[in-house]
Amino acid sequence: MKKSIGLLVLIPFLAWAQDKKETPREGGHYDNNKFSQMYDLLATPNMFRTASGAPGPAYYQQQADYKMDIVLDDKNKRLDGVETITYHNNSPESLEYLWIQLDQNEKKRDSKSPLVQSQRMDGALPVDGFVKKYMEEAFDGGFNLVYVHDAKGKPMKYTINQTMMRIDLPQPLKPKEKVTFSIKWWYNINNYRIDRGRSGYEEFESDKNRLYVVAQFFPRMAVYNDVEGWQNMQFWGTGEFALVFGNYEVNITVPADHILEATGDLLNRKEVFTPEQVKRYELAERTFDKPVLVVTPEEAKANEKGFSDKTKTWKFKAQNVRDFAFSTSRKFIYDAMAVKLPTKNVMAISLYPNESNPLWEEYSTRAVAQTLKTYSKHTFDYPYPKAISISAEDQGMEYPMICWNYGRPDAKGFVSDRIKYGMISVIIHEVGHNYFPMIVNSDERQWSWMDEGLNTFLQYLTEQEFMENYPSSRGPAAKIVPYMSGNQSFLEPIMSNSEVIHQFGANAYGKPATGLNILRETIMGPELFDHAFKTYANRWKFKHPTPDDFFRTMEDASAVDLDWFWRGWFYSTDYVDMGIKEVKQFFVTDEPTEELKNVQTRRGRFGVAQGPYVYLVEEKNPQLNPNRKKALNQSRIVPLQEFINAKFTTEQQAQLKQPNYFYEVEFDKPGGMIMPLLVELQFEDGTKEFHKFPEQIWRKNNQTATRVFATTKKIVKIQLDPKLETADIDTTNNSWPKEEATSKFDELEKK
């Protein structure tokens, strides 16, 4: 029988529904739309920082230049220094006083840092731990100021408030003016393995030598900017540092048998290295494929026995850096190699004791080199002359051009995979901090994620390029699920101050890195993401960005609206949980159901002459759809081809798809966090088909979304987020038919 029948679509339903006028809810309601723009959260754009996320025409930043003479007293474990600071006021405001950071004061006996920590009684302690906690007097660290003088040598008025010092100026420092003053100081160096800390010394019991990693060792200028004036938030030990760019000239005097490295160019290499070591370093500058030993293991062992009473002074100069640090020991082996970047060559360097081999000689400098290559590709070519990795057990800390990293073999020389990959990862991470925040200079004291999270994201990319199948611990979406599904009482939004976070590693490192990885791989795509991320890095290198600048730049450079993502992933603790709520299967028939016969449309009723229509009727097969009680009358099912033959020519039919199966899938979202819908269809012949629906599918209904799939083959399985790309915390609702979860005991029984 020949039929003249067209295709049924949902437009008549929609047209009928839109004719109805909805009554507003009494009293109105709040805007709970997760796609709302972030005007309520972001700072108002201005001449300093634009709405695009770029520095504005009135943007400014201060400058602080330092000249220092430093003396390390190895016998007494003491550091003495005198520094001259020239501070340039580039702001449009006059300054009545200056704020200086005294971070070492966090180690003073009267420091308030230990008092802000809650305590509980230990049930048991090792003897040395008990003695340390209850019987020994606390380590007495902190700065001892000898004087604070102006450029003429006269005393200046100052006030110390814990880890901050205010210098009161005799007259306001006007815009475009500069002031020069000097500070002389000393402090006792802490054993960082006992008294903790981001720097200090490590004692080797076997030979009584020490390895020094020295940072936060001098009074440093605080940041003054357009966002909050002086950043003089106290240093409590967790939130790191907000610092000013400047130029450094530093002379460091240490025992003559020490080997030393530091921020900046070494100016007197021929005075502190032997002629053979100078030649080896020059060879390393021309070697790109493997590290060259500049100071050999044998030379390091000879130095260990010296304990020279003589001294050497190492002279360094650094341009446009925000900080300065150094490391020195008579135990150091020194190796180096050159790294070729698109616009320049730089040096990758490692210093480590014999106790760190064979691990360090094999991996450290190579990991440094890979970091410079990968990070430069995603941001900008590394601008400094070198990057240094120092072996310092129990450490992982970063400064311009230099960082300290843990990871050594045990006493028998055994290296577990945990130690090996842990060491490589921390080297990549700490060297990577040269980019964030040493160059893209965010405020770590306030926003830890801006350096730790961005850096951990690039660390993941570097690890994957460094070694095939590298077991990265952070980055992929599935890695953050245990944290996001945890007790909400111990979760804070990423946009939280460093000192209030319960799970610091997951919050400041893992979740931001995972979010950026999801943006790159799933939401934006690598091409758009990489361009926007590189734009941010280049806009703000050697400047002071805020979170707003990052959020705005990522959208400005990509044309992707991400307010929903920042609002959910960064400003809330919403988690991702999406599932398949219901699947309905439909068949083509030539007769409408009773329900359709009575539905009014603009063109009349279904089932009367105003058609023609193809009717799609739901299969009410209890086996297919458990909620359906009455099965479809199979005699009324009509092959779709009969309709097509009646309406289209053979040539037209050749251009048409040939669907035989129709499925309506309803997805729900128990979790509050928006994500794209990633759907995989598996057919009875074993083939698969992937569909990606943008996050905007939730824009009008935050709870459910429905899609129709017209296929040529029968679907036997529907899988949501098959590659675990969205950090979905509950995958038990991600499959249709629903898969029963099996325990490890069940899996063992099958074997």
Side-chain angles (χ1 to χ4, degrees), residues 214-491:
V214 184
Q216 293 96 252
F217 67 90
F218 60 100
R220 304 179 295 176
M221 290 300 308
V223 168
Y224 183 87
N225 63 23
D226 61 286
V227 178
E228 56 186 329
W230 286 106
Q231 168 48 294
N232 53 11
M233 188 180 295
Q234 293 291 338
F235 177 50
W236 296 99
T238 301
E240 293 182 1
F241 314 109
L243 296 164
V244 185
F245 285 110
N247 303 317
Y248 287 72
E249 295 178 22
V250 184
N251 302 322
I252 309 170
T253 300
V254 297
D257 46 9
H258 273 217
I259 296 296
L260 186 148
E261 259 295 5
T263 303
D265 287 303
L266 177 61
L267 304 179
N268 62 334
R269 188 175 306 279
K270 293 182 179 180
E271 296 177 13
V272 294
F273 279 157
T274 67
E276 293 80 7
Q277 291 166 349
V278 172
K279 290 179 181 178
R280 295 174 198 152
Y281 186 86
E282 291 171 347
L283 173 62
E285 291 179 307
R286 307 188 301 272
T287 304
F288 296 89
D289 58 342
K290 62 180 180 180
V292 174
L293 285 169
V294 176
V295 178
T296 68
E298 293 73 24
E299 289 169 333
K301 288 180 180 179
N303 287 339
E304 289 176 7
K305 302 173 182 178
F307 291 91
S308 175
D309 290 327
K310 297 181 180 179
T311 62
K312 284 183 180 177
T313 299
W314 300 61
K315 299 179 180 180
F316 293 89
K317 185 174 183 178
Q319 300 291 314
N320 204 18
V321 295
R322 68 169 222 164
D323 200 1
F324 191 99
F326 68 93
S327 182
T328 183
S329 177
R330 58 178 57 88
K331 294 180 69 68
F332 275 147
I333 302 166
Y334 185 126
D335 73 36
M337 64 184 286
V339 182
K340 186 176 292 295
L341 300 178
T343 60
K344 61 185 300 189
N345 295 339
V346 298
M347 295 300 292
I349 299 169
S350 295
L351 280 72
Y352 47 93
N354 274 284
E355 286 83 351
S356 296
N357 273 337
L359 186 60
W360 274 68
E361 65 184 7
E362 183 174 357
Y363 291 111
S364 177
T365 300
R366 289 182 172 90
V368 174
Q370 183 65 61
T371 305
L372 298 179
K373 292 175 184 177
T374 303
Y375 277 64
S376 293
K377 178 173 64 176
H378 288 281
T379 57
F380 42 77
D381 275 5
Y382 185 70
Y384 294 135
K386 63 187 179 185
I388 310 156
S389 171
I390 304 292
S391 173
E393 199 67 338
D394 297 336
Q395 280 286 333
M397 194 59 202
E398 74 282 353
Y399 304 91
M401 305 182 216
I402 189 169
C403 59
W404 5 110
N405 309 299
Y406 70 83
R408 293 182 190 151
D410 66 15
K412 296 181 179 180
F414 173 74
V415 179
S416 66
D417 282 349
R418 183 181 67 84
I419 292 295
K420 169 187 168 181
Y421 291 115
M423 183 207 77
I424 294 171
S425 290
V426 77
I427 290 173
I428 292 172
H429 183 89
E430 305 305 344
V431 172
H433 271 308
N434 277 287
Y435 295 80
F436 303 96
M438 300 302 153
I439 298 169
V440 183
N441 189 8
S442 56
D443 180 357
E444 299 175 89
R445 187 63 53 85
Q446 179 62 49
W447 307 115
S448 293
W449 71 267
M450 285 198 74
D451 67 296
E452 301 296 359
L454 271 61
N455 187 39
T456 302
F457 162 68
L458 286 175
Q459 173 193 336
Y460 168 69
L461 298 183
T462 305
E463 290 169 348
Q464 298 307 305
E465 292 187 6
F466 183 59
M467 192 179 296
E468 188 175 0
N469 297 320
Y470 191 95
S472 297
S473 61
R474 289 174 174 144
K479 299 286 187 180
I480 202 63
V481 167
Y483 169 72
M484 296 189 70
S485 60
N487 186 339
Q488 285 279 321
S489 299
F490 299 98
L491 302 184

Side-chain angles (χ1 to χ4, degrees), residues 466-730:
F466 183 59
M467 192 179 296
E468 188 175 0
N469 297 320
Y470 191 95
S472 297
S473 61
R474 289 174 174 144
K479 299 286 187 180
I480 202 63
V481 167
Y483 169 72
M484 296 189 70
S485 60
N487 186 339
Q488 285 279 321
S489 299
F490 299 98
L491 302 184
E492 294 80 28
I494 293 174
M495 290 292 291
S496 298
N497 178 267
S498 306
E499 302 295 342
V500 304
I501 298 170
H502 283 89
Q503 302 179 62
F504 191 80
N507 181 287
Y509 295 68
K511 188 180 176 184
T514 301
L516 295 179
N517 200 40
I518 292 173
L519 278 181
R520 184 176 191 265
E521 301 299 329
T522 304
I523 296 171
M524 299 174 69
E527 183 177 358
L528 287 175
F529 179 94
D530 289 351
H531 174 77
F533 193 83
K534 181 173 283 192
T535 299
Y536 167 72
N538 282 276
R539 278 180 174 178
W540 290 98
K541 62 182 179 183
F542 299 110
K543 295 182 176 69
H544 303 289
T546 68
D548 297 13
D549 300 320
F550 176 68
F551 298 149
R552 284 172 162 148
T553 295
M554 291 300 292
E555 296 189 27
D556 180 69
S558 68
V560 179
D561 183 1
L562 296 171
D563 283 26
W564 64 272
F565 185 81
W566 311 131
R567 185 182 290 278
W569 196 266
F570 282 76
Y571 283 88
S572 82
T573 58
D574 283 354
Y575 55 81
V576 180
D577 183 11
M578 300 180 292
I580 299 172
K581 185 177 182 179
E582 188 175 30
V583 177
K584 301 176 183 178
Q585 185 172 352
F586 290 77
F587 290 97
V588 174
T589 179
D590 63 351
E591 182 178 324
T593 63
E594 292 299 321
E595 293 88 349
L596 286 178
K597 289 180 181 178
N598 297 318
V599 172
Q600 181 72 40
T601 74
R602 285 182 177 176
R603 300 198 310 175
R605 296 178 185 272
F606 291 121
V608 294
Q610 284 78 6
Y613 300 108
V614 171
Y615 300 106
L616 294 169
V617 181
E618 180 186 352
E619 165 63 281
K620 296 184 178 180
N621 185 338
Q623 292 182 341
L624 179 69
N625 296 313
N627 296 329
R628 305 299 168 187
K629 297 180 180 179
K630 184 177 180 181
L632 177 69
N633 182 354
Q634 299 292 321
S635 66
R636 301 305 302 170
I637 298 176
V638 179
L640 179 62
Q641 194 61 41
E642 290 189 21
F643 299 137
I644 303 302
N645 291 340
K647 186 68 177 176
F648 299 95
T649 67
T650 302
E651 292 76 13
Q652 290 173 325
Q653 290 182 44
Q655 306 298 318
L656 299 176
K657 297 179 181 179
Q658 301 293 322
N660 295 316
Y661 300 89
F662 304 87
Y663 302 86
E664 180 186 276
V665 183
E666 183 179 6
F667 303 94
D668 64 355
K669 193 173 67 62
M673 183 66 203
I674 299 290
M675 278 290 165
L677 272 174
L678 311 177
V679 183
E680 182 182 83
L681 308 180
Q682 182 175 323
F683 302 103
E684 59 183 347
D685 64 357
T687 59
K688 297 179 180 179
E689 184 176 285
F690 183 76
H691 296 260
K692 178 180 177 180
F693 303 103
E695 58 279 353
Q696 283 82 6
I697 197 170
W698 306 101
R699 70 196 186 283
K700 294 184 178 180
N701 186 337
N702 187 46
Q703 300 304 320
T704 62
T706 306
R707 292 293 303 187
V708 171
F709 299 95
T711 65
T712 59
K713 295 176 288 188
K714 183 178 181 180
I715 296 176
V716 296
K717 182 179 180 180
I718 303 175
Q719 182 70 43
L720 190 61
D721 192 11
K723 297 181 180 179
L724 304 179
E725 298 177 55
T726 65
D728 194 324
I729 71 163
D730 180 11

Side-chain angles (χ1 to χ4, degrees), residues 33-260:
N33 190 326
K34 292 182 179 291
F35 289 91
S36 297
Q37 296 299 289
M38 290 172 58
Y39 300 127
D40 58 323
L41 295 173
L42 301 184
T44 303
N46 52 48
M47 293 294 285
F48 302 110
R49 297 167 193 270
T50 68
S52 69
Y59 176 82
Y60 72 88
Q61 63 189 39
Q62 311 292 64
Q63 178 177 332
D65 300 327
Y66 298 80
K67 292 184 178 181
M68 291 189 279
D69 290 296
I70 307 299
V71 178
L72 172 70
D73 183 344
D74 185 31
K75 292 182 179 179
N76 295 306
K77 296 168 287 190
R78 168 173 158 158
L79 199 71
D80 288 74
V82 59
E83 62 184 302
T84 298
I85 303 175
T86 300
Y87 185 74
H88 304 254
N89 182 17
N90 298 321
S91 80
E93 303 167 272
S94 295
L95 304 178
E96 299 178 0
Y97 43 78
L98 309 176
W99 280 102
I100 314 292
Q101 301 185 66
L102 303 177
D103 299 297
Q104 288 294 331
N105 282 4
E106 196 259 341
K107 290 293 180 187
K108 294 180 77 71
R109 282 182 181 164
D110 62 355
S111 169
K112 294 183 180 180
S113 291
L115 305 180
V116 301
Q117 306 297 332
S118 295
Q119 290 184 327
R120 291 184 181 276
M121 181 61 69
D122 299 294
L125 281 171
V127 174
D128 56 349
F130 181 87
V131 171
K132 177 70 178 174
K133 186 169 185 177
Y134 294 110
M135 301 177 71
E136 286 186 354
E137 194 169 26
F139 171 76
D140 190 14
F143 285 110
N144 296 274
L145 300 185
V146 179
Y147 63 69
V148 179
H149 285 172
D150 65 16
K152 297 181 179 179
K154 295 181 179 180
M156 301 182 75
K157 182 181 178 182
Y158 64 88
T159 300
I160 295 176
N161 177 11
Q162 300 183 66
T163 61
M164 288 288 170
M165 175 172 69
R166 188 187 72 241
I167 296 179
D168 297 319
L169 300 175
Q171 57 272 335
L173 184 66
K174 297 179 180 179
K176 305 306 178 184
E177 290 186 344
K178 60 184 179 181
V179 61
T180 299
F181 57 96
S182 298
I183 305 175
K184 186 174 183 179
W185 47 265
W186 66 270
Y187 69 84
N188 295 315
I189 305 173
N190 59 299
N191 183 330
Y192 68 77
R193 301 197 71 181
I194 296 175
D195 301 304
R196 311 309 301 164
R198 299 171 185 270
S199 66
Y201 70 86
E202 175 185 358
E203 185 111 31
F204 290 80
E205 292 297 328
S206 60
D207 55 28
K208 302 303 179 184
N209 271 296
R210 301 187 189 99
L211 186 161
Y212 292 89
V213 287
V214 184
Q216 293 96 252
F217 67 90
F218 60 100
R220 304 179 295 176
M221 290 300 308
V223 168
Y224 183 87
N225 63 23
D226 61 286
V227 178
E228 56 186 329
W230 286 106
Q231 168 48 294
N232 53 11
M233 188 180 295
Q234 293 291 338
F235 177 50
W236 296 99
T238 301
E240 293 182 1
F241 314 109
L243 296 164
V244 185
F245 285 110
N247 303 317
Y248 287 72
E249 295 178 22
V250 184
N251 302 322
I252 309 170
T253 300
V254 297
D257 46 9
H258 273 217
I259 296 296
L260 186 148

